[in-house]
Every structure is written in structure tokens, then in C-alpha cells.
Amino acid sequence: MNQESGRSMIEMLGVLAIMGVITVGAIGMISTAMRTQKRSTVNDDVIQIVTGVRQLLGEYDDFSHINNATIFGAIGVSNKNPYGGNYELYVDPSNPRQFIVSIGGLSEGDCKYLTTKAWSDSVGYQMSGGKNGGATGNCSDAGGKNTVYITYGE
């Protein structure tokens, strides 16, 4: 009698099933890590943009001199954000002593996250006594074209 050694088809299917479950779990963890990294990068970029604007235009009484190309070039930050959209700067039309940082190209979930996040140095956060996040935005576009607006200044 010859004895054959090797793996049966059932054993191989079992191994493949286990590898599939592990792969699905790893993909979920990688996706979460990438989302967290993008959000962290946006937070760091906004802090750097706000600091740069205040340093460059702090000597003026208002922020009506904001020019996106000049500001982003001077502070060394790209106007592209990790979501494929842009950062833009605006002067608040109702108060030239305030400026608005917009973050575009956001998915609905990331828009909601950034709108409710505590932007502690923003006007909205300070005026609400820390009860509101300080950002506004319409997060209803499911196609990744949502924008968040954060107001800074006095």
C-alpha cells in the first residue's frame, strides 16, 4: 500500500478562508489609519495656515489684504488638501478683522467630522464658550464636494 502525503482540498480551503478573514480585517484597519492620517494632516495644515496669516498680516488692522497665492507661497503650505480639494482663504464680508479658512473636496463623513471638531482658536468656538466646534459647512453632497468653513480673527 502506498501512503500519499500532502494536503487535502478541504484543508487548503480552510487555510484560504482564514487568510481571507485576516485580509478583510487588515483592510479595515488600514482604511481607518488612512482616514485618521488625513484628518490629522488637515488639522496641522489649518494650524500652520492660521499661524502664517497672523504673522504675515498681523500688523494690519484687518485681513482685507489676503491673497491666496501670496499667503500659501509665503508660509510654504500647499493649497491642496489630502482629500483632493483645496484650502482657500477669504475675508469675512461682515467683518474684515476676520478671515475664513475653507477646506474643500470632503466626503460627507469627513465634512461632518471637521464641522463638529473643536477648532479651539476659531471665532465660533470662542463665542460659544467651547460648546460649538467653530466650523460651518453643508455636508449633504455625497459626491465628495463638501466644504467646511472656519472663521478666525477678532
Side-chain angles (χ1 to χ4, degrees):
M1 250 190 186
N2 291 338
Q3 283 195 340
E4 295 183 27
S5 63
R7 304 282 178 228
S8 71
M9 183 63 90
I10 293 175
E11 290 174 323
M12 292 303 293
L13 288 174
V15 169
L16 288 174
I18 292 170
M19 289 175 53
V21 169
I22 291 171
T23 302
V24 168
I27 289 172
M29 290 174 29
I30 290 170
S31 175
T32 300
M34 288 173 53
R35 183 175 49 251
T36 302
Q37 178 61 36
K38 284 181 180 180
R39 290 175 176 176
S40 178
T41 299
V42 166
N43 184 64
D44 294 346
D45 287 350
V46 168
I47 290 170
Q48 191 172 357
I49 291 167
V50 170
T51 302
V53 168
R54 288 180 172 159
Q55 287 176 347
L56 291 170
L57 300 175
E59 63 192 51
Y60 299 105
D61 289 338
D62 61 38
F63 294 102
S64 59
H65 304 289
I66 284 183
N67 176 314
N68 278 293
T70 304
I71 296 291
F72 284 106
I75 62 176
V77 174
S78 171
N79 69 333
K80 301 287 183 199
N81 68 43
Y83 296 101
N86 292 327
Y87 297 115
E88 292 188 43
L89 298 168
Y90 305 98
V91 177
D92 186 340
S94 63
N95 183 352
R97 297 180 66 83
Q98 296 178 346
F99 65 96
I100 300 167
V101 177
S102 74
I103 308 164
L106 302 171
S107 67
E108 185 177 355
D110 289 315
C111 179
K112 288 178 180 177
Y113 170 81
L114 293 172
T115 302
T116 57
K117 179 189 178 318
W119 298 96
S120 59
D121 200 23
S122 70
V123 171
Y125 181 84
Q126 292 177 357
M127 290 184 72
S128 71
K131 294 180 182 161
N132 293 328
T136 60
N138 183 358
C139 301
S140 60
D141 184 348
K145 301 198 185 233
N146 297 298
T147 303
V148 170
Y149 303 94
I150 313 163
T151 303
Y152 291 92
E154 298 176 7

